[in-house]
Amino acid sequence: MLHEEVVGRIRAILLDGEIPPGARIPERELCDRLQISRTPLREALKVLAAEGLVQLLPHRGSRAAKLTDKDMRDLFEVCQGLEALAGELACERITDAEIDEIAAAHSDMVKHYREGDLIQYYRGNRAIHEAIVTAAGNPVLVGLYASVTARIRRARYVTPMTPQRWALAVKEHEAILNALQRRDGVGLAHILRAHLRHKREEVLQAGFAETEGSELTLRIA
Amino acid sequence: MLHEEVVGRIRAILLDGEIPPGARIPERELCDRLQISRTPLREALKVLAAEGLVQLLPHRGSRAAKLTDKDMRDLFEVCQGLEALAGELACERITDAEIDEIAAAHSDMVKHYREGDLIQYYRGNRAIHEAIVTAAGNPVLVGLYASVTARIRRARYVTPMTPQRWALAVKEHEAILNALQRRDGVGLAHILRAHLRHKREEVLQAGFAETEGSELTLRIA
DNA sequence: GGGCTCCATTTTGCATGCAAAAATGAACTT
DNA sequence: AAGTTCATTTTTGCATGCAAAATGGAGCCC
């Protein structure tokens, strides 16, 4: 089994919320499950700890990282900064084909919005932001963005998505696409900052979902 | 020996350029030197690989990461974005004491500039940027910034620091300090972007120093 | 002489083993 | 009955061992 695969699988387990934040990571159990010994598992845990998904306690094992409100705010701030940077860079480099792709993803997302399918809407939303980051043509940026968004997604939260907020988000996305098409980097950076600021406000208002709880009606996958 | 210590020591070895970029990392030798077995060493190498300092080749061991011109450009771009973000955030949160500290570091740096001590100047320069990032009060940002700057420093380069360029850099730093004191976040972000853009141009013009070579008169430590 | 093949050596990747530290729990004291 | 202490069990962290893969080089073919 390749090292990277182990890291990926444990990351997936964490992102799926199978091990709730703050919970101990059962070394032996994961070994059995992944059919590996403790050595590669521990290597993977160290890597994930460096990524911020796992918390290592000396002589006390590893726990799934628990994110405080402050951590969340910090992550959103950085995410915002990275997206704004990506937007600016993307405007300099993005190809027409890439713009078309994002435009397609956008109208797809709007379709889900019209249908009221929040889950699919979020999926499309993520795809668009990821496409912009990719279009920036900067692998370093892609890596950091992936790390930050992974940690954000790790702390699954509920957003009380009111029709007004949702409409605003869609409108902002229209503006994002528009700025991209005009290749207006500065304008796009502005919009992206505002876009994430709104999102962040939602999150902080909503607080966090108890990961153990099953009473929540909506989770963002 | 604590795991983190091993990571730190190997990172230091890499940053010191003791193992040149692209060179194989001699596992056994490092084991002997650090008085540890291969298990914790390999864990540390995996972590450093996740950080981008080490390149892991399946069944072929690990090499010190070799950065191409493109990698450097990417790193500088992201570094610029992070510093601009830090500047904006710092303006919202920085205390007077922190500003005083940066001001002191600044005049210290200017002193080294007047004395023509480029090495000390760079040290001061770094201290100021790090202080700004710290003042942003965002540990996530601090972590990403550290990772990016470590990789940049890893690829030691020479800058053909002409008096004009140097004077410009100092002037920009004056403006940075000024914006901080006025807590003008947007303005600071602008200046920081321009500041790093100038630096980036220098770097790309200069190309990279051969790390093995000793013929170079200046290295940035 | 150049290039290929095959085998010995080295190195990597993982499993296992062992000592030390923490968690557990039972007995004992108050 | 609650708290404390100490021994047992479990878990962690690291060293070591072993099989598989890669490296290097001698011999061989063309």
Side-chain angles (χ1 to χ4, degrees):
Chain A
M1 167 115 40
L2 222 51
H3 159 74
E4 237 178 84
E5 194 187 327
V6 177
V7 174
R9 289 195 61 178
I10 300 174
R11 199 188 348 246
I13 288 173
L14 289 172
L15 291 183
D16 286 349
E18 207 175 312
I19 297 175
R24 278 194 44 179
I25 294 173
E27 243 181 48
R28 182 152 301 284
E29 202 181 302
L30 274 181
C31 286
D32 293 349
R33 180 161 156 194
L34 301 183
Q35 299 283 353
I36 54 175
S37 78
R38 293 200 306 128
T39 306
L41 180 79
R42 287 169 47 74
E43 285 176 357
L45 289 178
K46 296 255 158 70
V47 170
L48 292 169
E51 280 180 29
L53 282 173
V54 166
Q55 192 179 2
L56 255 48
L57 298 94
H59 290 285
R60 287 208 208 163
S62 40
R63 309 181 87 84
K66 189 161 197 173
L67 299 178
T68 63
D69 277 15
K70 169 76 163 69
D71 292 329
M72 261 331 253
R73 215 166 22 234
D74 290 346
L75 283 167
F76 268 91
E77 260 174 17
V78 173
C79 187
Q80 165 186 3
L82 293 178
E83 284 184 0
L85 176 62
E88 273 183 281
L89 296 176
C91 281
E92 293 174 24
R93 294 166 194 168
I94 197 166
T95 62
D96 289 335
E98 283 174 316
I99 289 183
D100 290 346
E101 240 176 86
I102 291 174
H106 175 74
S107 59
D108 196 57
M109 192 189 73
V110 170
K111 196 190 77 186
H112 292 309
Y113 164 62
R114 297 241 169 80
E115 292 168 356
D117 189 342
L118 196 53
I119 300 287
Q120 287 300 318
Y121 168 81
Y122 271 116
R123 201 183 301 279
N125 180 37
R126 232 184 84 199
I128 289 171
H129 284 293
E130 268 167 18
I132 293 174
V133 171
T134 304
N138 186 325
V140 174
L141 180 57
V142 171
L144 295 191
Y145 185 71
S147 154
V148 169
T149 51
R151 276 186 272 176
I152 289 176
R153 263 185 296 148
R154 174 71 181 92
R156 311 181 144 210
Y157 50 82
V158 287
T159 43
M161 193 62 129
T162 64
Q164 291 90 340
R165 275 182 199 284
W166 203 353
L168 174 64
V170 171
K171 215 171 153 190
E172 283 174 338
H173 266 266
E174 304 272 4
I176 289 167
L177 182 61
N178 200 273
L180 257 180
Q181 284 167 333
R182 284 182 291 114
R183 291 186 166 76
D184 174 10
V186 177
L188 180 53
H190 254 101
I191 298 163
L192 284 168
R193 272 161 218 246
H195 183 56
L196 199 74
R197 190 155 46 240
H198 293 153
K199 222 173 172 179
R200 188 171 55 182
E201 279 159 15
E202 284 172 23
V203 172
L204 293 183
Q205 271 192 17
F208 299 95
E210 293 303 317
T211 321
E212 293 88 358
S214 57
E215 74 283 6
L216 298 166
T217 50
L218 172 66
R219 282 161 182 252
I220 297 148
Chain B
M1 167 112 42
L2 222 51
H3 159 76
E4 238 180 84
E5 194 186 328
V6 177
V7 174
R9 288 195 61 178
I10 300 173
R11 197 188 349 244
I13 289 173
L14 290 171
L15 291 183
D16 286 350
E18 206 175 313
I19 297 174
R24 278 197 40 177
I25 294 174
E27 244 183 44
R28 182 152 301 283
E29 203 180 301
L30 274 181
C31 286
D32 293 349
R33 180 161 157 193
L34 302 183
Q35 299 283 352
I36 54 173
S37 80
R38 291 202 308 128
T39 306
L41 180 79
R42 286 169 48 74
E43 285 176 356
L45 289 177
K46 296 255 159 67
V47 170
L48 292 168
E51 279 180 30
L53 283 172
V54 166
Q55 194 178 1
L56 255 46
L57 298 95
H59 290 286
R60 286 209 209 164
S62 40
R63 310 182 86 83
K66 189 161 197 174
L67 299 179
T68 64
D69 278 17
K70 169 78 163 70
D71 292 329
M72 262 331 253
R73 215 164 25 232
D74 290 346
L75 284 167
F76 268 91
E77 261 175 15
V78 173
C79 187
Q80 166 187 1
L82 293 179
E83 284 184 0
L85 176 62
E88 273 183 280
L89 296 176
C91 281
E92 293 174 25
R93 293 166 195 170
I94 197 167
T95 62
D96 289 335
E98 282 174 317
I99 288 183
D100 290 347
E101 239 175 85
I102 292 175
H106 176 72
S107 59
D108 196 58
M109 193 189 71
V110 171
K111 196 190 76 187
H112 293 308
Y113 165 62
R114 296 241 169 79
E115 293 167 354
D117 188 341
L118 196 53
I119 299 287
Q120 286 301 317
Y121 167 81
Y122 270 116
R123 200 182 301 279
N125 181 38
R126 231 184 86 198
I128 288 171
H129 285 293
E130 269 169 16
I132 293 174
V133 171
T134 304
N138 186 326
V140 174
L141 179 58
V142 171
L144 295 191
Y145 184 72
S147 154
V148 169
T149 52
R151 276 186 273 178
I152 289 176
R153 264 185 294 150
R154 175 72 181 88
R156 311 178 146 214
Y157 50 81
V158 288
T159 43
M161 194 60 130
T162 63
Q164 291 89 338
R165 274 181 201 285
W166 203 352
L168 174 63
V170 170
K171 214 172 152 190
E172 283 175 337
H173 266 267
E174 303 272 4
I176 289 167
L177 182 61
N178 201 273
L180 258 181
Q181 284 167 332
R182 284 183 293 115
R183 291 186 166 76
D184 174 10
V186 177
L188 180 53
H190 254 101
I191 298 163
L192 285 168
R193 272 160 218 245
H195 183 57
L196 199 74
R197 190 154 45 238
H198 293 153
K199 221 174 174 177
R200 188 171 55 181
E201 279 159 15
E202 286 172 22
V203 172
L204 293 183
Q205 272 193 15
F208 299 95
E210 292 303 316
T211 322
E212 293 89 358
S214 56
E215 74 284 5
L216 298 166
T217 50
L218 171 67
R219 282 162 182 252
I220 296 150

